[in-house]
Amino acid sequence: MSAAQPSSAGGQASGSTLLELANVTAYYGDLQALFGITLRVDAGEIVTLIGANGAGKTTILRVISGMKVPASGTVRFLGQEVSRVPAHEMVARGVSHVPEGRQVFPFMTVRENLSLGAYTPRARNNTKPVMEEQLTLFPRLAERMDQLAGTLSGGEQQMVAIARGLMAQPKLLLLDEPSLGLSPKIVEEVFEKIQAVRRIGITILIVEQNVVSGLSISDRGYVVQNGAIVLADSAKNLLSNETVREAYLGL
């Protein structure tokens, strides 16, 4: 089974709406983190959320993946209300969340890390062919399969984290700061791999502070500020937007 097959399951034609958030609010205790977040991601897209540290971008991903229950508003995935669906069930429904900081299991091998990504029953039944697909996508990992993940470079660990997320055969891949702590050359390589993931039919939502890298591979983007979306446009228009250039590119 190819990776493109499961990612397109559920009758989602390219361009149809895969994910919708409408007026989502969220709190940490008494502190409100999100204020009326409304956004969409269409099947086959790469969409990037940009904004400063603490803007609420990671919280948006946590709400989508079921790790954070919204206080109000709705989250719909594949046309179904999922606002209060727990994280493990969201994985089964087709959402994989690759967290900030990679969070590989350092004292487990690359092979073991990837195997842990095959969480759902469907993925467990296809572990071997799906792992082979990841090694085709990330050939460097094929040379590191029996190496402890904690001994890999930062870029290699990021590839492990992405490949582990893909082991669940998702329809939607959430990536939180995939360029964090990486050299410019490795950032370029990681973003090339993200584009390759899209080419096999998987939709991607990225949180990224590296505005140029994130928007350069994206179809659309949202600017998040103080827990609210303040600007939404095509990635090309956002890159040339004067406000974005002044706030995030220093131009």
Side-chain angles (χ1 to χ4, degrees):
M1 181 181 294
S2 71
Q5 288 175 306
S7 65
S8 59
Q12 289 292 299
S14 179
S16 61
T17 299
L18 186 71
L19 172 76
E20 284 184 287
L21 276 66
N23 299 313
V24 168
T25 66
Y27 289 79
Y28 292 101
D30 294 329
L31 177 65
Q32 187 167 357
L34 299 181
F35 297 81
I37 296 294
T38 295
L39 61 82
R40 82 174 200 281
V41 179
D42 294 338
E45 283 192 307
I46 298 178
V47 175
T48 292
L49 307 180
I50 64 173
N53 271 335
K57 306 184 302 297
T58 292
T59 302
I60 293 172
L61 295 194
R62 288 172 59 84
V63 166
I64 294 167
S65 65
M67 297 175 66
K68 179 73 178 171
V69 177
S72 62
T74 59
V75 180
R76 299 184 68 83
F77 179 67
L78 291 170
Q80 297 183 324
E81 166 75 53
V82 294
S83 304
R84 284 163 175 75
V85 172
H88 69 277
E89 188 174 331
M90 288 304 295
V91 175
R93 291 186 184 217
V95 176
S96 280
H97 186 166
V98 179
E100 178 182 344
R102 300 177 276 279
Q103 296 187 25
V104 299
F105 295 95
F107 299 109
M108 300 179 73
T109 65
V110 169
R111 187 188 310 277
E112 290 167 336
N113 270 270
L114 296 186
S115 296
L116 286 173
Y119 175 85
T120 65
R122 180 183 65 177
R124 286 198 297 271
N125 291 335
N126 293 289
T127 299
K128 184 175 179 180
V130 175
M131 188 175 293
E132 289 173 356
E133 289 167 359
Q134 306 320 312
L135 299 183
T136 299
L137 187 62
F138 301 98
R140 192 179 306 173
L141 299 185
E143 305 168 4
R144 309 282 196 270
M145 289 295 279
D146 297 314
Q147 188 171 333
L148 294 181
T151 66
L152 302 179
S153 69
E156 289 167 342
Q157 288 187 27
Q158 185 64 69
M159 292 177 193
V160 171
I162 295 172
R164 183 178 60 191
L166 294 174
M167 286 293 295
Q169 299 181 276
K171 299 174 179 69
L172 175 64
L173 184 67
L174 308 177
L175 298 175
D176 195 350
E177 300 284 5
S179 73
L180 185 68
L182 303 181
S183 69
K185 181 179 180 180
I186 301 302
V187 168
E188 183 178 350
E189 184 177 357
V190 167
F191 276 88
E192 287 174 355
K193 295 301 184 183
I194 293 170
Q195 291 176 286
V197 171
R198 192 253 286 271
R199 287 195 290 271
I200 63 174
I202 296 173
T203 304
I204 303 169
L205 178 61
I206 307 174
V207 158
E208 184 54 63
Q209 283 194 303
N210 188 326
V211 173
V212 173
S213 292
L215 291 178
S216 293
I217 67 166
S218 297
D219 300 289
R220 295 185 299 109
Y222 294 89
V223 179
V224 184
Q225 183 176 312
N226 297 324
I229 290 174
V230 296
L231 189 59
D233 208 335
S234 71
K236 180 180 179 180
N237 286 346
L238 287 176
L239 276 171
S240 61
N241 181 280
E242 185 176 339
T243 300
V244 172
R245 291 169 67 84
E246 288 179 357
Y248 303 108
L249 302 180
L251 300 175

